[in-house]
């Protein structure tokens, strides 16, 4: 599987987790503190996957420059 596809899948999963936790925080349930932690975790996961996609893109550009 392509690294960019894996990173995209990870970003999609993190986005869904972020939205779910955000709705729970907005509803102010009893589990709000753990939902805030989930929000932060989902944000960090999204950022990490975005960085992986960026690095994969840079690696691909470098490889194409070497081969050209």
């Amino acid at each position: 599987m392509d690294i960019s596809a894996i990173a995209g899948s990870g970003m999609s999963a993190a986005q869904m987790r972020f939205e779910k936790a955000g709705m729970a925080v907005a509803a102010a349930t009893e589990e709000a503190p753990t939902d805030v932690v989930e929000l932060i975790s989902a944000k960090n996961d999204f950022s990490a996957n975005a960085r992986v996609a960026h690095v994969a893109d840079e690696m691909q550009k470098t490889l194409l420059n070497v081969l050209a």
Side-chain angles (χ1 to χ4, degrees):
M1 188 173 218
D2 182 29
I3 293 173
S4 297
I6 294 170
S9 176
M11 290 188 324
S12 179
Q15 180 181 357
M16 286 188 290
R17 286 179 40 222
F18 187 83
E19 290 172 0
K20 181 180 175 185
M23 286 188 281
V25 169
T29 63
E30 295 174 1
E31 298 178 5
T34 57
D35 291 329
V36 172
V37 171
E38 180 66 14
L39 277 171
I40 295 168
S41 176
K43 179 187 85 67
N44 290 339
D45 288 351
F46 187 91
S47 295
N49 280 294
R51 183 70 181 143
V52 167
H54 178 75
V55 170
D57 183 53
E58 291 297 317
M59 288 173 59
Q60 187 175 29
K61 285 179 186 176
T62 301
L63 178 62
L64 290 174
N65 286 336
V66 168
L67 295 175

